[in-house]
């Protein structure tokens, strides 16, 4: 059996940058909490807890006076509130997410009704929403466009960084049917975009695909979707323990990829576990 790990599997640029910022802050002797789990990975979150860094749901929950903002970013009022309550803020908003926030703000200031293509309850989308004074419409699929009246309006579109390109493009096309003017800014993450392309290529030459990452991680779920769309039998797991020997019976080629918040050592453990099945057969 040939096992191939996608060349870019594991931590993305934004997550690695945030983890480096955490490590540097710990080395400086700073004590702080993160607003929400730093990444969708329980192993990393637990490891940080051991180092005294807790994930808190609100500023009021924090027993430390420094707060760390994760890659997803937050609405500006959260930073303002933190500062007004005397918190020091370490902001690890990914620069690619920051670009989406700025693009939305610019469209809003230029008089466009902002549409965010993405998931309403995703922290990144909530953060972007805050940058347009909560005035945006959030649409998750082209089908949802019919629920809004854009007739004669100037619409500015941005997209959640981890969304699929076809969903973004199709949604813009649907809006164009009625709107007076549409200005779309492609705020998708090029790292995610490349990862989805690599996943599709790998899935095409594999009999089985294993996608490793948190079940609540948007970008991991997208990779799972992309893999299935190639017609390849695909499984989404968080850890090697979830793998089942029968998935690999009679299989010649296995592809492995992983979401942006999956540590590289978990990807390697998954590959090792699959190898151990072949020895048992
Ligand atoms: S997936 Fe892209 S936007 Fe999200 S943190 Fe990673 S690099 Fe940044």
């Amino acid at each position: 059996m040939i096992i191939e790990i996608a060349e870019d599997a594991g931590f993305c640029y934004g997550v690695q940058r945030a983890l480096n910022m955490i490590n540097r802050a710990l080395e400086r002797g700073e004590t702080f909490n993160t607003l929400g789990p730093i990444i969708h990975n329980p192993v990393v979150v637990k490891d940080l807890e051991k180092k005294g860094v807790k994930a808190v749901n609100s500023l009021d929950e924090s027993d430390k006076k420094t707060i760390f903002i994760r890659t997803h970013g937050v609405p500006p009022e959260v930073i303002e509130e933190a500062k007004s309550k005397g918190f020091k803020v370490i902001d690890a908003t990914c620069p690619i997410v920051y670009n989406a926030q700025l693009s939305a703000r610019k469209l809003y200031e230029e008089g466009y009704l902002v549409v965010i293509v993405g998931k309403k309850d995703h922290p990144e989308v909530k953060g972007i929403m805050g940058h347009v004074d909560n005035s945006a419409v959030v649409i998750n699929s082209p089908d949802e466009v019919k629920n809004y009246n854009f007739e004669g309006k100037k619409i500015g579109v941005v997209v959640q960084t981890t969304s699929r390109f076809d969903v973004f493009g199709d949604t813009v096309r649907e809006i164009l049917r009625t709107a007076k003017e549409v200005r779309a800014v492609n705020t998708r993450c090029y790292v995610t975009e490349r990862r989805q392309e690599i996943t599709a290529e790998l899935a095409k030459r594999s009999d089985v695909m294993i996608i490793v990452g948190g079940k609540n991680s948007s970008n991991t779920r997208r990779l799972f979707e992309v893999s299935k769309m190639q017609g390849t039998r695909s499984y989404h797991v968080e850890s090697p323990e979830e793998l089942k020997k029968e998935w690999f019976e009679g299989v010649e080629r296995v592809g492995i990829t992983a979401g942006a918040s999956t540590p590289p050592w978990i990807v390697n453990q998954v590959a090792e576990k699959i190898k151990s099945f072949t020895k048992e057969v």
Side-chain angles (χ1 to χ4, degrees), residues 94-123:
C94 175
I96 298 171
V97 173
Y98 182 62
N99 174 53
Q101 294 172 344
L102 280 188
S103 301
R105 181 77 203 175
K106 195 158 177 283
L107 289 166
Y108 173 61
E109 284 174 353
E110 287 174 9
Y112 290 87
L113 168 63
V114 174
V115 168
I116 307 168
V117 180
K119 288 201 176 129
K120 204 174 246 154
D121 57 352
H122 193 281

PDB file of all heavy atoms in Angstrom, residues 94-123:
ATOM      1  N   CYS A  94      -5.008  36.547  11.929  1.00  0.00           N
ATOM      2  CA  CYS A  94      -4.217  36.221  10.739  1.00  0.00           C
ATOM      3  C   CYS A  94      -4.276  37.407   9.758  1.00  0.00           C
ATOM      4  O   CYS A  94      -5.356  37.963   9.521  1.00  0.00           O
ATOM      5  CB  CYS A  94      -4.789  34.969  10.076  1.00  0.00           C
ATOM      6  SG  CYS A  94      -3.961  34.585   8.537  1.00  0.00           S
ATOM      7  N   PRO A  95      -3.156  37.811   9.173  1.00  0.00           N
ATOM      8  CA  PRO A  95      -3.169  38.940   8.230  1.00  0.00           C
ATOM      9  C   PRO A  95      -4.151  38.730   7.069  1.00  0.00           C
ATOM     10  O   PRO A  95      -4.684  39.698   6.531  1.00  0.00           O
ATOM     11  CB  PRO A  95      -1.728  38.985   7.716  1.00  0.00           C
ATOM     12  CG  PRO A  95      -0.919  38.362   8.807  1.00  0.00           C
ATOM     13  CD  PRO A  95      -1.796  37.308   9.430  1.00  0.00           C
ATOM     14  N   ILE A  96      -4.421  37.483   6.724  1.00  0.00           N
ATOM     15  CA  ILE A  96      -5.363  37.221   5.613  1.00  0.00           C
ATOM     16  C   ILE A  96      -6.809  37.506   6.074  1.00  0.00           C
ATOM     17  O   ILE A  96      -7.624  38.032   5.324  1.00  0.00           O
ATOM     18  CB  ILE A  96      -5.185  35.774   5.101  1.00  0.00           C
ATOM     19  CG1 ILE A  96      -3.756  35.606   4.557  1.00  0.00           C
ATOM     20  CG2 ILE A  96      -6.216  35.414   4.033  1.00  0.00           C
ATOM     21  CD1 ILE A  96      -3.352  34.188   4.223  1.00  0.00           C
ATOM     22  N   VAL A  97      -7.086  37.206   7.333  1.00  0.00           N
ATOM     23  CA  VAL A  97      -8.405  37.530   7.900  1.00  0.00           C
ATOM     24  C   VAL A  97      -8.525  39.059   8.051  1.00  0.00           C
ATOM     25  O   VAL A  97      -9.568  39.651   7.753  1.00  0.00           O
ATOM     26  CB  VAL A  97      -8.605  36.833   9.274  1.00  0.00           C
ATOM     27  CG1 VAL A  97      -9.895  37.297   9.936  1.00  0.00           C
ATOM     28  CG2 VAL A  97      -8.592  35.322   9.113  1.00  0.00           C
ATOM     29  N   TYR A  98      -7.426  39.677   8.470  1.00  0.00           N
ATOM     30  CA  TYR A  98      -7.404  41.130   8.640  1.00  0.00           C
ATOM     31  C   TYR A  98      -7.720  41.813   7.307  1.00  0.00           C
ATOM     32  O   TYR A  98      -8.478  42.789   7.253  1.00  0.00           O
ATOM     33  CB  TYR A  98      -6.014  41.525   9.158  1.00  0.00           C
ATOM     34  CG  TYR A  98      -5.843  42.997   9.442  1.00  0.00           C
ATOM     35  CD1 TYR A  98      -6.625  43.636  10.405  1.00  0.00           C
ATOM     36  CD2 TYR A  98      -4.899  43.756   8.747  1.00  0.00           C
ATOM     37  CE1 TYR A  98      -6.476  44.986  10.652  1.00  0.00           C
ATOM     38  CE2 TYR A  98      -4.742  45.105   8.992  1.00  0.00           C
ATOM     39  CZ  TYR A  98      -5.535  45.718   9.943  1.00  0.00           C
ATOM     40  OH  TYR A  98      -5.387  47.057  10.182  1.00  0.00           O
ATOM     41  N   ASN A  99      -7.206  41.258   6.234  1.00  0.00           N
ATOM     42  CA  ASN A  99      -7.493  41.799   4.898  1.00  0.00           C
ATOM     43  C   ASN A  99      -8.999  41.705   4.587  1.00  0.00           C
ATOM     44  O   ASN A  99      -9.585  42.625   4.012  1.00  0.00           O
ATOM     45  CB  ASN A  99      -6.677  41.025   3.846  1.00  0.00           C
ATOM     46  CG  ASN A  99      -7.042  41.439   2.448  1.00  0.00           C
ATOM     47  OD1 ASN A  99      -7.017  42.616   2.107  1.00  0.00           O
ATOM     48  ND2 ASN A  99      -7.434  40.472   1.625  1.00  0.00           N
ATOM     49  N   ALA A 100      -9.635  40.597   4.985  1.00  0.00           N
ATOM     50  CA  ALA A 100     -11.086  40.447   4.762  1.00  0.00           C
ATOM     51  C   ALA A 100     -11.852  41.506   5.571  1.00  0.00           C
ATOM     52  O   ALA A 100     -12.806  42.122   5.078  1.00  0.00           O
ATOM     53  CB  ALA A 100     -11.531  39.036   5.153  1.00  0.00           C
ATOM     54  N   GLN A 101     -11.399  41.742   6.808  1.00  0.00           N
ATOM     55  CA  GLN A 101     -12.053  42.759   7.659  1.00  0.00           C
ATOM     56  C   GLN A 101     -11.929  44.146   7.016  1.00  0.00           C
ATOM     57  O   GLN A 101     -12.917  44.894   6.921  1.00  0.00           O
ATOM     58  CB  GLN A 101     -11.392  42.787   9.044  1.00  0.00           C
ATOM     59  CG  GLN A 101     -11.582  41.527   9.858  1.00  0.00           C
ATOM     60  CD  GLN A 101     -10.739  41.529  11.135  1.00  0.00           C
ATOM     61  OE1 GLN A 101      -9.810  42.316  11.283  1.00  0.00           O
ATOM     62  NE2 GLN A 101     -11.052  40.648  12.058  1.00  0.00           N
ATOM     63  N   LEU A 102     -10.703  44.465   6.555  1.00  0.00           N
ATOM     64  CA  LEU A 102     -10.459  45.788   5.958  1.00  0.00           C
ATOM     65  C   LEU A 102     -11.237  45.973   4.653  1.00  0.00           C
ATOM     66  O   LEU A 102     -11.791  47.041   4.392  1.00  0.00           O
ATOM     67  CB  LEU A 102      -8.973  45.957   5.640  1.00  0.00           C
ATOM     68  CG  LEU A 102      -8.034  46.333   6.764  1.00  0.00           C
ATOM     69  CD1 LEU A 102      -6.656  46.648   6.201  1.00  0.00           C
ATOM     70  CD2 LEU A 102      -8.562  47.543   7.541  1.00  0.00           C
ATOM     71  N   SER A 103     -11.296  44.906   3.845  1.00  0.00           N
ATOM     72  CA  SER A 103     -12.015  44.980   2.559  1.00  0.00           C
ATOM     73  C   SER A 103     -13.495  45.246   2.799  1.00  0.00           C
ATOM     74  O   SER A 103     -14.114  46.056   2.094  1.00  0.00           O
ATOM     75  CB  SER A 103     -11.854  43.667   1.776  1.00  0.00           C
ATOM     76  OG  SER A 103     -10.500  43.413   1.530  1.00  0.00           O
ATOM     77  N   ALA A 104     -14.053  44.545   3.794  1.00  0.00           N
ATOM     78  CA  ALA A 104     -15.475  44.737   4.111  1.00  0.00           C
ATOM     79  C   ALA A 104     -15.713  46.172   4.582  1.00  0.00           C
ATOM     80  O   ALA A 104     -16.664  46.839   4.156  1.00  0.00           O
ATOM     81  CB  ALA A 104     -15.899  43.737   5.185  1.00  0.00           C
ATOM     82  N   ARG A 105     -14.812  46.659   5.427  1.00  0.00           N
ATOM     83  CA  ARG A 105     -14.948  48.017   5.959  1.00  0.00           C
ATOM     84  C   ARG A 105     -14.914  49.057   4.832  1.00  0.00           C
ATOM     85  O   ARG A 105     -15.701  50.006   4.799  1.00  0.00           O
ATOM     86  CB  ARG A 105     -13.807  48.273   6.962  1.00  0.00           C
ATOM     87  CG  ARG A 105     -13.829  49.635   7.615  1.00  0.00           C
ATOM     88  CD  ARG A 105     -14.876  49.707   8.697  1.00  0.00           C
ATOM     89  NE  ARG A 105     -15.300  51.074   8.964  1.00  0.00           N
ATOM     90  CZ  ARG A 105     -16.273  51.390   9.807  1.00  0.00           C
ATOM     91  NH1 ARG A 105     -16.944  50.449  10.445  1.00  0.00           N
ATOM     92  NH2 ARG A 105     -16.616  52.630  10.001  1.00  0.00           N
ATOM     93  N   LYS A 106     -14.011  48.852   3.892  1.00  0.00           N
ATOM     94  CA  LYS A 106     -13.845  49.796   2.785  1.00  0.00           C
ATOM     95  C   LYS A 106     -15.128  49.828   1.935  1.00  0.00           C
ATOM     96  O   LYS A 106     -15.629  50.905   1.584  1.00  0.00           O
ATOM     97  CB  LYS A 106     -12.640  49.360   1.937  1.00  0.00           C
ATOM     98  CG  LYS A 106     -12.138  50.392   0.993  1.00  0.00           C
ATOM     99  CD  LYS A 106     -10.685  50.103   0.602  1.00  0.00           C
ATOM    100  CE  LYS A 106     -10.199  51.106  -0.421  1.00  0.00           C
ATOM    101  NZ  LYS A 106     -10.689  50.867  -1.758  1.00  0.00           N
ATOM    102  N   LEU A 107     -15.655  48.645   1.639  1.00  0.00           N
ATOM    103  CA  LEU A 107     -16.894  48.588   0.854  1.00  0.00           C
ATOM    104  C   LEU A 107     -18.028  49.307   1.594  1.00  0.00           C
ATOM    105  O   LEU A 107     -18.804  50.066   0.998  1.00  0.00           O
ATOM    106  CB  LEU A 107     -17.294  47.121   0.594  1.00  0.00           C
ATOM    107  CG  LEU A 107     -16.409  46.354  -0.392  1.00  0.00           C
ATOM    108  CD1 LEU A 107     -16.680  44.856  -0.309  1.00  0.00           C
ATOM    109  CD2 LEU A 107     -16.642  46.849  -1.825  1.00  0.00           C
ATOM    110  N   TYR A 108     -18.097  49.063   2.895  1.00  0.00           N
ATOM    111  CA  TYR A 108     -19.141  49.666   3.729  1.00  0.00           C
ATOM    112  C   TYR A 108     -19.024  51.190   3.697  1.00  0.00           C
ATOM    113  O   TYR A 108     -20.012  51.910   3.495  1.00  0.00           O
ATOM    114  CB  TYR A 108     -18.968  49.114   5.150  1.00  0.00           C
ATOM    115  CG  TYR A 108     -19.844  49.719   6.205  1.00  0.00           C
ATOM    116  CD1 TYR A 108     -21.233  49.642   6.127  1.00  0.00           C
ATOM    117  CD2 TYR A 108     -19.276  50.341   7.334  1.00  0.00           C
ATOM    118  CE1 TYR A 108     -22.034  50.186   7.124  1.00  0.00           C
ATOM    119  CE2 TYR A 108     -20.070  50.880   8.325  1.00  0.00           C
ATOM    120  CZ  TYR A 108     -21.440  50.806   8.224  1.00  0.00           C
ATOM    121  OH  TYR A 108     -22.229  51.338   9.201  1.00  0.00           O
ATOM    122  N   GLU A 109     -17.792  51.682   3.837  1.00  0.00           N
ATOM    123  CA  GLU A 109     -17.584  53.136   3.844  1.00  0.00           C
ATOM    124  C   GLU A 109     -17.858  53.754   2.480  1.00  0.00           C
ATOM    125  O   GLU A 109     -18.178  54.936   2.379  1.00  0.00           O
ATOM    126  CB  GLU A 109     -16.138  53.449   4.295  1.00  0.00           C
ATOM    127  CG  GLU A 109     -15.985  53.272   5.796  1.00  0.00           C
ATOM    128  CD  GLU A 109     -14.555  53.424   6.284  1.00  0.00           C
ATOM    129  OE1 GLU A 109     -13.659  53.544   5.446  1.00  0.00           O
ATOM    130  OE2 GLU A 109     -14.364  53.419   7.514  1.00  0.00           O
ATOM    131  N   GLU A 110     -17.748  52.952   1.429  1.00  0.00           N
ATOM    132  CA  GLU A 110     -18.029  53.458   0.078  1.00  0.00           C
ATOM    133  C   GLU A 110     -19.515  53.327  -0.288  1.00  0.00           C
ATOM    134  O   GLU A 110     -19.900  53.522  -1.436  1.00  0.00           O
ATOM    135  CB  GLU A 110     -17.163  52.720  -0.951  1.00  0.00           C
ATOM    136  CG  GLU A 110     -15.699  53.150  -0.873  1.00  0.00           C
ATOM    137  CD  GLU A 110     -14.790  52.328  -1.776  1.00  0.00           C
ATOM    138  OE1 GLU A 110     -15.300  51.537  -2.591  1.00  0.00           O
ATOM    139  OE2 GLU A 110     -13.565  52.470  -1.642  1.00  0.00           O
ATOM    140  N   GLY A 111     -20.319  52.931   0.685  1.00  0.00           N
ATOM    141  CA  GLY A 111     -21.772  52.929   0.474  1.00  0.00           C
ATOM    142  C   GLY A 111     -22.364  51.626  -0.049  1.00  0.00           C
ATOM    143  O   GLY A 111     -23.535  51.588  -0.456  1.00  0.00           O
ATOM    144  N   TYR A 112     -21.577  50.566  -0.049  1.00  0.00           N
ATOM    145  CA  TYR A 112     -22.119  49.271  -0.483  1.00  0.00           C
ATOM    146  C   TYR A 112     -22.803  48.561   0.680  1.00  0.00           C
ATOM    147  O   TYR A 112     -22.366  48.685   1.833  1.00  0.00           O
ATOM    148  CB  TYR A 112     -20.993  48.356  -0.993  1.00  0.00           C
ATOM    149  CG  TYR A 112     -20.390  48.815  -2.308  1.00  0.00           C
ATOM    150  CD1 TYR A 112     -19.339  49.727  -2.325  1.00  0.00           C
ATOM    151  CD2 TYR A 112     -20.872  48.336  -3.514  1.00  0.00           C
ATOM    152  CE1 TYR A 112     -18.783  50.157  -3.509  1.00  0.00           C
ATOM    153  CE2 TYR A 112     -20.322  48.757  -4.714  1.00  0.00           C
ATOM    154  CZ  TYR A 112     -19.286  49.663  -4.708  1.00  0.00           C
ATOM    155  OH  TYR A 112     -18.733  50.079  -5.894  1.00  0.00           O
ATOM    156  N   LEU A 113     -23.859  47.819   0.373  1.00  0.00           N
ATOM    157  CA  LEU A 113     -24.425  46.901   1.363  1.00  0.00           C
ATOM    158  C   LEU A 113     -23.514  45.671   1.307  1.00  0.00           C
ATOM    159  O   LEU A 113     -23.373  45.035   0.249  1.00  0.00           O
ATOM    160  CB  LEU A 113     -25.864  46.509   0.999  1.00  0.00           C
ATOM    161  CG  LEU A 113     -26.441  45.340   1.808  1.00  0.00           C
ATOM    162  CD1 LEU A 113     -26.540  45.671   3.296  1.00  0.00           C
ATOM    163  CD2 LEU A 113     -27.831  44.938   1.280  1.00  0.00           C
ATOM    164  N   VAL A 114     -22.872  45.357   2.425  1.00  0.00           N
ATOM    165  CA  VAL A 114     -21.880  44.269   2.407  1.00  0.00           C
ATOM    166  C   VAL A 114     -22.565  42.912   2.573  1.00  0.00           C
ATOM    167  O   VAL A 114     -23.421  42.726   3.444  1.00  0.00           O
ATOM    168  CB  VAL A 114     -20.817  44.487   3.510  1.00  0.00           C
ATOM    169  CG1 VAL A 114     -19.864  43.292   3.600  1.00  0.00           C
ATOM    170  CG2 VAL A 114     -20.037  45.772   3.247  1.00  0.00           C
ATOM    171  N   VAL A 115     -22.193  42.002   1.693  1.00  0.00           N
ATOM    172  CA  VAL A 115     -22.623  40.606   1.812  1.00  0.00           C
ATOM    173  C   VAL A 115     -21.369  39.800   2.146  1.00  0.00           C
ATOM    174  O   VAL A 115     -20.351  39.912   1.468  1.00  0.00           O
ATOM    175  CB  VAL A 115     -23.257  40.090   0.498  1.00  0.00           C
ATOM    176  CG1 VAL A 115     -23.435  38.570   0.548  1.00  0.00           C
ATOM    177  CG2 VAL A 115     -24.601  40.763   0.240  1.00  0.00           C
ATOM    178  N   ILE A 116     -21.464  39.000   3.212  1.00  0.00           N
ATOM    179  CA  ILE A 116     -20.348  38.097   3.554  1.00  0.00           C
ATOM    180  C   ILE A 116     -20.786  36.693   3.151  1.00  0.00           C
ATOM    181  O   ILE A 116     -21.818  36.205   3.625  1.00  0.00           O
ATOM    182  CB  ILE A 116     -20.025  38.117   5.070  1.00  0.00           C
ATOM    183  CG1 ILE A 116     -19.786  39.546   5.573  1.00  0.00           C
ATOM    184  CG2 ILE A 116     -18.822  37.227   5.369  1.00  0.00           C
ATOM    185  CD1 ILE A 116     -19.741  39.678   7.095  1.00  0.00           C
ATOM    186  N   VAL A 117     -20.029  36.072   2.267  1.00  0.00           N
ATOM    187  CA  VAL A 117     -20.341  34.684   1.915  1.00  0.00           C
ATOM    188  C   VAL A 117     -19.618  33.814   2.935  1.00  0.00           C
ATOM    189  O   VAL A 117     -18.383  33.782   2.988  1.00  0.00           O
ATOM    190  CB  VAL A 117     -19.877  34.332   0.477  1.00  0.00           C
ATOM    191  CG1 VAL A 117     -20.211  32.884   0.161  1.00  0.00           C
ATOM    192  CG2 VAL A 117     -20.516  35.275  -0.527  1.00  0.00           C
ATOM    193  N   GLY A 118     -20.397  33.153   3.793  1.00  0.00           N
ATOM    194  CA  GLY A 118     -19.777  32.352   4.854  1.00  0.00           C
ATOM    195  C   GLY A 118     -20.824  31.916   5.849  1.00  0.00           C
ATOM    196  O   GLY A 118     -22.035  32.036   5.607  1.00  0.00           O
ATOM    197  N   LYS A 119     -20.346  31.434   6.983  1.00  0.00           N
ATOM    198  CA  LYS A 119     -21.252  30.924   8.020  1.00  0.00           C
ATOM    199  C   LYS A 119     -21.470  31.962   9.106  1.00  0.00           C
ATOM    200  O   LYS A 119     -20.510  32.425   9.731  1.00  0.00           O
ATOM    201  CB  LYS A 119     -20.655  29.655   8.634  1.00  0.00           C
ATOM    202  CG  LYS A 119     -20.713  28.492   7.686  1.00  0.00           C
ATOM    203  CD  LYS A 119     -20.612  27.195   8.450  1.00  0.00           C
ATOM    204  CE  LYS A 119     -20.765  26.051   7.479  1.00  0.00           C
ATOM    205  NZ  LYS A 119     -19.712  25.080   7.591  1.00  0.00           N
ATOM    206  N   LYS A 120     -22.762  32.255   9.324  1.00  0.00           N
ATOM    207  CA  LYS A 120     -23.154  33.308  10.262  1.00  0.00           C
ATOM    208  C   LYS A 120     -22.532  33.131  11.651  1.00  0.00           C
ATOM    209  O   LYS A 120     -22.134  34.100  12.290  1.00  0.00           O
ATOM    210  CB  LYS A 120     -24.683  33.239  10.386  1.00  0.00           C
ATOM    211  CG  LYS A 120     -25.314  34.507  10.816  1.00  0.00           C
ATOM    212  CD  LYS A 120     -26.824  34.388  10.779  1.00  0.00           C
ATOM    213  CE  LYS A 120     -27.357  35.301   9.716  1.00  0.00           C
ATOM    214  NZ  LYS A 120     -28.573  35.022   9.105  1.00  0.00           N
ATOM    215  N   ASP A 121     -22.472  31.884  12.124  1.00  0.00           N
ATOM    216  CA  ASP A 121     -22.023  31.661  13.505  1.00  0.00           C
ATOM    217  C   ASP A 121     -20.513  31.438  13.611  1.00  0.00           C
ATOM    218  O   ASP A 121     -20.002  31.150  14.678  1.00  0.00           O
ATOM    219  CB  ASP A 121     -22.793  30.485  14.125  1.00  0.00           C
ATOM    220  CG  ASP A 121     -22.633  29.221  13.295  1.00  0.00           C
ATOM    221  OD1 ASP A 121     -22.059  29.312  12.190  1.00  0.00           O
ATOM    222  OD2 ASP A 121     -23.075  28.147  13.743  1.00  0.00           O
ATOM    223  N   HIS A 122     -19.793  31.589  12.485  1.00  0.00           N
ATOM    224  CA  HIS A 122     -18.342  31.370  12.563  1.00  0.00           C
ATOM    225  C   HIS A 122     -17.672  32.611  13.155  1.00  0.00           C
ATOM    226  O   HIS A 122     -18.002  33.730  12.772  1.00  0.00           O
ATOM    227  CB  HIS A 122     -17.776  31.078  11.163  1.00  0.00           C
ATOM    228  CG  HIS A 122     -16.377  30.549  11.206  1.00  0.00           C
ATOM    229  ND1 HIS A 122     -15.287  31.372  11.389  1.00  0.00           N
ATOM    230  CD2 HIS A 122     -15.895  29.296  11.141  1.00  0.00           C
ATOM    231  CE1 HIS A 122     -14.188  30.628  11.410  1.00  0.00           C
ATOM    232  NE2 HIS A 122     -14.533  29.367  11.261  1.00  0.00           N
ATOM    233  N   PRO A 123     -16.721  32.423  14.090  1.00  0.00           N
ATOM    234  CA  PRO A 123     -16.080  33.583  14.742  1.00  0.00           C
ATOM    235  C   PRO A 123     -15.471  34.566  13.741  1.00  0.00           C
ATOM    236  O   PRO A 123     -15.514  35.778  13.966  1.00  0.00           O
ATOM    237  CB  PRO A 123     -14.989  32.957  15.609  1.00  0.00           C
ATOM    238  CG  PRO A 123     -15.291  31.511  15.696  1.00  0.00           C
ATOM    239  CD  PRO A 123     -16.220  31.138  14.590  1.00  0.00           C
TER     240      PRO A 123
END
